[in-house]
Amino acid sequence: MPIALPKAFRRTWIDVGDGHQLHVALYGNSEGIPLLYLHGGPGAGCSVEELKLFDLSVYQVILVDQRGAGRSRPRGELKHNNLSNLLADIERVRCWLNVPQWMLAGGSFGATLALLYSAYYPNRVISQVLWGLFVPSPAGIEWLYGNRGAARLFKEEYRDFVDGAEPQELTALLTSYRSSLDDDCQDVRYSAAERWIRWEMALAYPGCMLGEINSPFSQSLASIELYYVANDYFGAFEKLIVQLPLIQCQTRVLQGEMDWVCPFKVLQNFFKGRASQLIEVTEIKGGYHALADVKMARAVMDAIQEMAKQ
């Protein structure tokens, strides 16, 4: 018998301007510790499956689909979809909820977003647990999408990603993908989105069998991710360097030893010389990027449980 999924005690769409409406759903204890969950991608959207990370008797978990993602409207919209607006949207949601302070949890690009938000709004974040932190540096981007990083470890998967084309500069690859994702032919769009998603999944949890891909979802996710990487994540790396010292909350970063989306070495290089007593970085031995990996999921759940005691 399938396990019943938690039901939201409140669900709505918030108009944040620019034609965007964010889907917001609240779960758990309505009087509990407010905790905002920030999904990755960008563009992935939230899933109720991720609620297993939290003790819903303790936390009031706030799931927000970022601009263009998940159930937010319009799906896949790129106009006015940028880093500054994502950060401003988070603050709009907090004000809408009338929550003075909250805790944060997020993985991958969601961890990047959380780190930036906690730096721009240091008085609003009590503490945070982040995992699989994506560092949007030139090295991090090249590793993930270029032909000199993960491509050398996952050669066959990368050939599929570039559709058998000869090695090319990253800019040319991204331009080709944009052309395919905007093509008039639905089959061309779907094929491009599928190749994009399969490449990322191959790195997030190698060997994991990827089932049937939801076509509208995969196309919006691939399109938003492509849009952000093609725009260097709208200066996220430079903003992180400048703003990191402004973080005032206890921050735990959990990174898998086998994280091929953002290798631990890239993370180490980023934090080198930027150490803070408030930021604790832990390498999870044998851990991957995806929470489908039991080691990562357990480490994250334990850290979030400990955060409630602070």
Side-chain angles (χ1 to χ4, degrees), residues 75-94:
R75 174 184 284 171
E77 181 60 66
L78 302 181
K79 292 180 180 178
H80 305 289
N81 193 338
N82 56 54
L83 182 66
S84 295
N85 282 335
L86 294 190
L87 293 170
D89 287 347
I90 295 172
E91 185 63 1
R92 287 190 186 98
V93 172
R94 186 195 63 77

Side-chain angles (χ1 to χ4, degrees), residues 43-180:
C46 294
S47 168
V48 291
E49 297 289 343
E50 288 150 343
L51 291 171
K52 67 183 180 183
L53 299 172
F54 312 102
D55 184 341
L56 296 182
S57 69
V58 172
Y59 285 111
Q60 176 187 161
V61 180
I62 303 141
L63 300 187
V64 180
D65 290 335
Q66 296 153 27
R67 293 190 178 211
R71 296 185 181 182
S72 288
R73 305 165 176 163
R75 174 184 284 171
E77 181 60 66
L78 302 181
K79 292 180 180 178
H80 305 289
N81 193 338
N82 56 54
L83 182 66
S84 295
N85 282 335
L86 294 190
L87 293 170
D89 287 347
I90 295 172
E91 185 63 1
R92 287 190 186 98
V93 172
R94 186 195 63 77
C95 293
W96 175 78
L97 289 168
N98 196 27
V99 173
Q101 290 182 305
W102 51 6
M103 293 181 175
L104 303 183
S108 197
F109 179 77
T112 314
L113 204 55
L115 209 58
L116 280 165
Y117 175 82
S118 64
Y120 277 101
Y121 301 92
N123 297 325
R124 301 304 183 189
V125 184
I126 303 167
S127 58
Q128 56 189 340
V129 172
L130 314 176
W131 59 92
L133 173 63
F134 176 63
V135 180
S137 63
I141 294 171
E142 174 61 35
W143 169 271
L144 182 54
Y145 297 114
N147 56 34
R148 296 185 290 273
R152 294 181 175 178
L153 298 179
F154 297 84
K155 295 179 180 179
E156 183 176 340
E157 292 83 353
Y158 193 73
R159 273 197 299 271
D160 292 339
F161 177 57
V162 299
D163 201 21
E166 291 298 316
Q168 55 187 318
E169 289 303 312
L170 184 55
T171 301
L173 175 63
L174 299 179
T175 299
S176 175
Y177 256 103
R178 174 51 63 196
S179 177
S180 296

Side-chain angles (χ1 to χ4, degrees), residues 223-242:
S223 180
I224 293 173
E225 284 190 338
L226 173 61
Y227 182 65
Y228 271 73
V229 68
N231 285 281
D232 290 323
Y233 294 89
F234 299 95
F237 181 59
E238 292 75 15
K239 288 179 171 65
L240 279 171
I241 292 173
V242 173

